[in-house]
Structures are given as structure tokens and as C-alpha cells.
Amino acid sequence: MKSEEKNETVKKDQSNFLRNWYVWIISMIGLSSLFLLVTFWCTNIFQDTILSSLIIQKGTTSFDFWERPPVKLIYKFYIFNYTNVEDFESGKANKLRVQQLGPYIYRETKKRVNVQIHENGTISYQEEKSYQWESGNPENEMVVVPNIPLLAAISYFRNLHITAKLLLNLGLSTLNIKTFLNLTVSDFLWGYDDNLYNILKAFSSLQDPLPYERFGILVGSNGISKDRITINTGFNDMNYLGIIEKINGKSIQNIWGDEKCDKIYGTDGSMFPPKWINNYSTPLYIYVKELCKPLSFHFHEYSNVHGIPSLRYKMSMDSLKISSTDSCFCPKTVGHNTSERKCPPTGTFNVSACNSGLPILISFPNFYGADQSLIESIDGLKPNETLHESFLDLHQFLALPMNGSSKMQLNIEVRRAIGMPYTGKMKDGMILPIMWYDNTLDILPQKFINIFFDAHFVITIIERAFRWGSVLVFLSCICALSIKVRNHCIHRHLPLCENVSVGNKLIEG
Ligand SMILES: *[C@@H]1O[C@H](CO)[C@@H](O)[C@H](O)[C@H]1NC(C)=O
Ligand SMILES: *[C@@H]1O[C@H](CO)[C@@H](O)[C@H](O)[C@H]1NC(C)=O
Ligand SMILES: *[C@@H]1O[C@H](CO)[C@@H](O)[C@H](O)[C@H]1NC(C)=O
Ligand SMILES: *[C@@H]1O[C@H](CO)[C@@H](O)[C@H](O)[C@H]1NC(C)=O
Ligand SMILES: *[C@@H]1O[C@H](CO)[C@@H](O)[C@H](O)[C@H]1NC(C)=O
Ligand SMILES: *[C@@H]1O[C@H](CO)[C@@H](O)[C@H](O)[C@H]1NC(C)=O
Ligand SMILES: *[C@@H]1O[C@H](CO)[C@@H](O)[C@H](O)[C@H]1NC(C)=O
Ligand SMILES: *[C@@H]1O[C@H](CO)[C@@H](O)[C@H](O)[C@H]1NC(C)=O
Ligand SMILES: *[C@@H]1O[C@H](CO)[C@@H](O)[C@H](O)[C@H]1NC(C)=O
């Protein structure tokens, strides 16, 4: 009888306990906080939701920013003026000497036009660029620079039969052609009338027409580019955001004669898949179509832009060094053995194959990081890490560039041809620096600074608040419940609570 009575009270007590609204509410709060805890600690749902605003989708702000980028690029051009050509030709000087002039600063306005959105999460467009002069005196300053059309023509014609070369020579001799030209900076950059170029244009019009009226380093940069680019919008998978899928419908170019090197990989540098910056050992890739090559950037240090923390990535020196793994970037030699390749000197990258055979090599400014013999072959070059290195400061969360500078130097290779005297005393294979540019992001408008600021601080604060808040609430609920249970047990000495009491006794004693 007695034990039955006791059982009754136990049951009654238990049901009372469970019916207690207080316990229910605490349990509900505890469960919700557990849910938030799991969401914020174990999944990326919060971040992914924010990041999804980067997806290039019609009708969004990020689409408008993408189509008409409000932050402009600033181009600073530095030109090498050859100051001792006469002395060198007459033998008084044994090395050519250059004087670096500039910067001549232009601001680039870029638009993405003829935009076509595809259903599979890609988007195709062409770029329209224009340049406005900002500073420097390019109209009036004269520079003495290598005659690029001439050096290109010689390199092109040097494999012709000797009689063809003699005829060509005869034609050229009527033109009063010089190896070095005296031009204004502005003409050199944006185009000048050149007799030789006009003749080459007439010659080439049959098979592979030269595309521009006049010759200049940047002729053709203005206006709508021919290339149609297809990039991933990130709609299907954020891990591919901004990655270039195709250029002119091809995902593999036909330049280097090797599938690995011909593959188009990387973004255009205006954005990166946020996943790329989660792991600092993952390099960033920017595909540069003018080089037919992706350039890689490696994480270097934490930095900040306008007080907003950023990740500083630096262009790796390997970008222009050919390691044995990517020797496919060395052009194939012309000859009977088609698998033989010739690598250019260390620190230069041969873009001849990518630029319809022009003997052009790319390097870092002033041959920074290049073979010492290159630096010493010309007087007046002073490679300097701080001045000549390229970097990118990315937002720690959005992976968007907030500051950056990419620097490249254009060089021309001198090829001598028997029977063509124009190269004077210059040796065959000599590499002449022409100019370099520093391409930086303009100062961010306040609107963007605010967006970046919010994206860092507000989001971090919200996330931390939710992370630690959910832990705190969850622990409090557990405590509240266990205190409740404990009080309950102490008052009733219930067998159900024995273990709890034992536990408590252990703690107390
Ligand atoms: C470039 O070099 C030439 C030859 O030494 C000189 O006459 C000219 O003034 C230099 N240009 C500038 C802008 O200094
Ligand atoms: C996406 O669709 C476009 C147009 O239909 C097509 O050119 C492209 O190859 C497709 N891309 C992929 C990755 O399937
Ligand atoms: C270049 O041209 C300017 C003006 O025509 C002249 O003053 C200068 O001496 C020339 N420099 C050279 C190196 O020929
Ligand atoms: C980061 O990337 C490197 C190289 O890609 C890889 O070896 C490493 O396992 C990655 N680390 C993490 C934590 O994913
Ligand atoms: C961007 O980088 C340049 C070059 O290092 C630096 O001079 C400039 O102060 C940076 N801009 C900001 C806003 O940090
Ligand atoms: C061609 O060159 C490659 C690499 O240098 C070499 O392995 C191969 O034997 C050469 N083939 C012939 C036919 O000479
Ligand atoms: C660059 O490549 C071209 C072929 O594309 C080749 O003729 C030239 O010799 C190479 N130049 C150097 C410096 O390797
Ligand atoms: C590199 O340039 C910076 C800035 O002009 C200068 O302070 C530094 O001394 C230079 N370093 C070398 C090794 O010339
Ligand atoms: C108390 O714990 C012991 C062992 O730790 C177990 O055998 C016993 O069943 C528990 N009692 C209750 C009421 O849960």
C-alpha cells in the first residue's frame, strides 16, 4: 500500500513538473538558441546570404556596378627615353642609356556593353573603354624611343629569302627609316603617322590585316574591344563568381600549343570567388587576355584601406618566371622539331605568340626580379621592390579589391637580319625596355567606403553577437533548467533525482 502511495506522488510530481510553463519556455528558448548556435557556428548560411548579393543578376545594385563600374582605374605611364643613341651608334658609349619619364596619368572609364545573360549562370559582354588625360605633359615632351614597327618588321622578314630581303631593303631605303624615333609622348601612346607602318598595312591587308589606321602603343585601347568575354555570374555556384569561362566562345586558346597553358582560368580582377580568400594558401588568378596567361597573386599580409581591414595579396614573381611545370608558356621554336621550346630570359615573358608575332616581352618595371644581365645591359634602370611590385588589397569578406596596383613593362626584342642594316650596333636578342605602366584603383567614393565598412564591421558584429549570444542563451537555459531540476529534487528526495543529487553532493563535498 505504502509503496503504491509513494509511486502515486512521484507521478503527480512529475506531471506537475512537466506542466510547469516556466520549464517549457526555457526549453523552447534553449532549443532556438541551439538552432542559432548550430547555424552560426557550424554553417555558412549567414555569410552566404550576404555574399549572394554579389551575384551578377539583372536588377540588382551589384549588376549596375558591374555594368558601369563607378570606381575608375588610373593608368600611370612611364616611358623610357633613350638619351645616348648617337654616342652608342658612333661607339662612344658601349651601352644604351635610358631615362625614365613620367608618370603621364590617364583615367580609364570602363563599361560593359552588349551584355547577354545566359540561362546557365553565365553572362557575355564586351568592354568599352575610354581614357581621359589627368596629369603630365604628353603633348609637349619629346622622347627618343625604339622604332617598333621597324623592329617588328625585321623580326618578321628575317626568315625571308635573301633576294626578297634585298628588294625589301631597296624599298625601305627610300623612306629614311631610323632605328630610334623622336616623338611626342602623346603620339607615341595614342598613335602617329608612320610611313613604314602604312606600307606594312598595305602589305598585310591581304591575309592578316593590321587593325589600326595609325601606329601607337595604346591605339585600339579606346572604344569597344573585339573580344567577347563570357564569365560566370555565381548564380549557380558562388565558388565560380566572376571566373572567365570563355573568350570569343573558346575556353581553350590556341596560342601555346599545350592544353594546360592554353586554358583560360581566373577572373578579370574586378572580383573573386569569396572562397578563394578563405584559405590563404590558395592563390588568386587573374586572366590577362593581352598576355594569354593567368597571373597569380599570393597572400602576403593583413593590411587596411581607409581603416577597413584588408588582405594584401602580391603578384608572385613566378608569374613571369617559367618553372619546369609551366614551360609550356615558352614558345615553340620554329623548325623541324615541333616539340622543342625556347624560354625567354628569367623575369621576362614572351608574348610574341599572343600578339600576332610582334617580338614583345613583358617584365616587371625596370626588370625588377629579372636576370641581372638584363638590368645591366642598359644604363639607367633601377629596380625597386616598393616601387615596382604589384599588389591587391581585398575586402576580407567580400573579396572585392579596395586598393591595388598592377605594374607591367613592355619590352621589344631586337632581331638582326642579314642584309638589313637598321639595327646598327645592337646585338641580336637584345631586349629594349619601352615603357611601363602602373594601373591603380582610383580613390574610393565615400559610398563605397561605407559599403565596405558596413560589410566588415556591421556584419562581423552581428555575426559575433549571434554566435556568442546563442551560446550564452543556450548555457543560461541549461543552468536554469538544472537549477530547477535540482531544487525540485532537494525538496522531494525523489529516486528519479538520485543521480542529480549524487552529482551535486560530489560537487559540494
Ligand atoms: C629625351 O632624350 C632626348 C635626347 O637626350 C632629349 O633631347 C629630350 O629632352 C628628352 N626628353 C625629355 C622629356 O626629357
Ligand atoms: C552557357 O550558355 C551559353 C549560351 O547558350 C554557352 O555559350 C556556354 O557554353 C554555356 N556555358 C556552359 C558552362 O555550359
Ligand atoms: C627631337 O625633336 C625635337 C623637336 O623637333 C628637337 O628639339 C630635339 O633635338 C630632337 N631630339 C633628338 C634626340 O633628335
Ligand atoms: C589550403 O590550400 C592548400 C593548397 O591549395 C591545401 O593544401 C590546404 O589543405 C588548404 N587548407 C585548408 C584548411 O583547406
Ligand atoms: C593604396 O595603395 C597605394 C600604394 O601603396 C598607397 O599609396 C595608398 O595610400 C593606398 N590607398 C589607401 C586608401 O590606402
Ligand atoms: C625534339 O625535342 C625534344 C625536346 O627537346 C626531344 O625530346 C626530342 O627528342 C626531339 N625530337 C627530335 C625528332 O629531334
Ligand atoms: C619569343 O617567341 C617567338 C616565337 O613566338 C620567338 O621567335 C622568339 O625567339 C622568342 N623570343 C625570346 C627572347 O625567347
Ligand atoms: C626604393 O624606393 C623607395 C621609395 O622611393 C626608397 O625609399 C628606397 O630607398 C628604394 N630602395 C632601393 C633599394 O633603392
Ligand atoms: C544513476 O546512475 C547509475 C550509474 O551511474 C545507474 O545505474 C542508475 O540507473 C541511475 N539512476 C537513475 C534513476 O537514472
Side-chain angles (χ1 to χ4, degrees):
M1 272 298 277
K2 266 202 166 174
S3 75
E4 260 187 354
E5 250 184 333
K6 198 176 178 187
N7 266 348
E8 286 280 17
T9 30
V10 169
K11 270 185 192 149
K12 211 172 153 196
D13 257 27
Q14 265 177 307
S15 54
N16 270 344
F17 179 64
L18 287 179
R19 239 185 267 134
N20 197 334
W21 58 270
Y22 172 75
V23 175
W24 275 108
I25 288 187
I26 291 194
S27 310
M28 289 316 288
I29 295 177
L31 280 179
S32 324
S33 59
L34 180 66
F35 174 75
L36 286 178
L37 193 147
V38 171
T39 313
F40 277 86
W41 285 92
C42 308
T43 72
N44 292 323
I45 292 173
F46 177 70
Q47 300 202 353
D48 290 350
T49 312
I50 309 277
L51 288 176
S52 67
S53 66
L54 293 176
I55 292 171
I56 307 164
Q57 222 174 348
K58 197 121 199 161
T60 60
T61 327
S62 56
F63 185 85
D64 298 339
F65 287 160
W66 173 81
E67 201 175 25
R68 307 242 177 291
V71 186
K72 310 272 186 269
L73 288 179
I74 304 288
Y75 278 83
K76 296 179 187 162
F77 295 106
Y78 297 84
I79 295 176
F80 292 109
N81 188 17
Y82 285 77
T83 54
N84 68 342
V85 173
E86 269 160 37
D87 285 353
F88 178 74
E89 285 309 328
S90 66
K92 273 194 226 158
N94 61 354
K95 271 196 222 174
L96 281 166
R97 187 173 62 237
V98 291
Q99 163 202 22
Q100 178 181 298
L101 297 178
Y104 305 96
I105 304 180
Y106 293 83
R107 175 188 302 260
E108 180 196 80
T109 305
K110 183 161 90 177
K111 285 186 223 161
R112 293 183 168 100
V113 295
N114 299 332
V115 174
Q116 195 186 359
I117 300 171
H118 307 299
E119 286 191 349
N120 54 13
T122 58
I123 192 166
S124 301
Y125 63 91
Q126 279 158 282
E127 288 181 336
E128 185 182 344
K129 293 178 179 171
S130 62
Y131 296 85
Q132 290 88 42
W133 172 84
E134 286 261 306
S135 117
N137 191 2
E139 301 290 341
N140 300 320
E141 283 181 4
M142 304 290 292
V143 283
V144 180
V145 285
N147 186 344
I148 298 170
L150 174 72
L151 295 177
I154 293 175
S155 151
Y156 190 70
F157 289 125
R158 75 188 212 134
N159 295 321
L160 290 183
H161 192 264
I162 182 81
T163 44
K165 271 191 283 193
L166 284 177
L167 280 176
L168 198 72
N169 238 335
L170 213 65
L172 294 182
S173 61
T174 61
L175 292 177
N176 181 26
I177 287 176
K178 295 211 179 83
T179 324
F180 286 85
L181 299 176
N182 189 359
L183 300 167
T184 67
V185 169
S186 161
D187 282 352
F188 180 58
L189 292 178
W190 303 107
Y192 57 95
D193 272 319
D194 186 72
N195 288 334
L196 176 61
Y197 184 75
N198 290 338
I199 291 176
L200 295 178
K201 207 166 57 189
F203 260 106
S204 70
S205 61
L206 307 171
Q207 11 161 321
D208 187 13
L210 291 171
Y212 309 111
E213 268 305 293
R214 311 197 302 162
F215 180 81
I217 298 280
L218 302 171
V219 164
S221 309
N222 263 318
I224 300 182
S225 86
K226 297 194 310 293
D227 295 318
R228 197 159 171 77
I229 304 170
T230 306
I231 62 163
N232 198 304
T233 61
F235 183 76
N236 293 338
D237 189 345
M238 275 305 276
N239 294 336
Y240 293 92
L241 175 76
I243 291 188
I244 301 176
E245 299 266 337
K246 288 178 180 178
I247 294 179
N248 297 323
K250 286 191 213 144
S251 57
I252 294 180
Q253 308 258 64
N254 185 16
I255 301 289
W256 307 109
D258 183 284
E259 197 158 304
K260 185 171 151 272
C261 285
D262 275 335
K263 190 165 168 25
I264 294 171
Y265 187 67
T267 74
D268 67 357
S270 60
M271 62 180 110
F272 297 95
K275 192 185 157 196
W276 283 10
I277 58 169
N278 287 350
N279 181 347
Y280 294 158
S281 29
T282 308
L284 308 177
Y285 289 102
I286 298 181
Y287 192 80
V288 187
K289 63 183 196 309
E290 289 74 18
L291 309 184
C292 303
K293 180 188 200 301
L295 294 177
S296 61
F297 284 73
H298 286 273
F299 176 73
H300 187 72
E301 62 191 351
Y302 291 97
S303 174
N304 77 82
V305 181
H306 298 293
I308 306 160
S310 66
L311 304 172
R312 173 157 292 194
Y313 280 75
K314 283 195 175 175
M315 193 193 286
S316 47
M317 297 300 290
D318 306 341
S319 280
L320 298 185
K321 263 184 209 145
I322 313 278
S323 63
S324 56
T325 52
D326 51 20
S327 64
C328 54
F329 283 119
C330 299
K332 286 185 172 169
T333 53
V334 221
H336 40 271
N337 188 346
T338 49
S339 58
E340 227 168 27
R341 290 176 181 272
K342 182 184 155 218
C343 290
T346 307
T348 63
F349 184 71
N350 190 343
V351 287
S352 174
C354 180
N355 286 275
S356 41
L358 277 174
I360 298 286
L361 295 130
I362 296 293
S363 70
F364 292 124
N366 283 254
F367 291 128
Y368 168 63
D371 203 279
Q372 196 60 30
S373 65
L374 274 182
I375 302 167
E376 282 166 3
S377 68
I378 307 260
D379 264 338
L381 295 174
K382 293 185 207 74
N384 179 318
E385 180 173 347
T386 26
L387 299 176
H388 300 142
E389 213 174 33
S390 303
F391 71 91
L392 262 179
D393 281 337
L394 296 189
H395 192 272
Q396 289 194 355
F397 188 63
L398 303 173
L400 292 175
M402 298 196 292
N403 194 7
S405 155
S406 111
K407 296 166 186 144
M408 280 287 156
Q409 177 171 305
L410 221 64
N411 310 285
I412 190 162
E413 183 189 4
V414 177
R415 310 302 306 270
R416 293 181 68 98
I418 300 160
M420 301 186 90
Y422 302 100
T423 42
K425 282 210 153 59
M426 289 185 287
K427 291 196 202 72
D428 188 50
M430 188 169 176
I431 294 173
L432 302 179
I434 299 171
M435 58 167 279
W436 63 277
Y437 67 80
D438 177 4
N439 180 352
T440 62
L441 217 57
D442 197 6
I443 295 162
L444 293 176
Q446 191 59 39
K447 187 169 80 178
F448 274 79
I449 298 178
N450 293 346
I451 294 178
F452 286 140
F453 186 88
D454 289 352
H456 189 88
F457 291 105
V458 176
I459 289 175
T460 340
I461 288 169
I462 292 179
E463 194 184 37
R464 290 221 177 118
F466 270 99
R467 278 190 162 196
W468 293 106
S470 60
V471 170
L472 201 72
V473 172
F474 183 67
L475 289 181
S476 322
C477 289
I478 300 264
C479 280
L481 275 183
S482 61
I483 289 168
K484 185 80 188 160
V485 170
R486 192 183 146 189
N487 291 345
H488 193 74
C489 296
I490 288 169
H491 291 160
R492 313 288 158 108
H493 295 287
L494 293 173
L496 189 84
C497 302
E498 253 169 27
N499 282 354
V500 179
S501 321
V502 169
N504 282 334
K505 269 177 204 150
L506 279 177
I507 291 167
E508 280 156 15

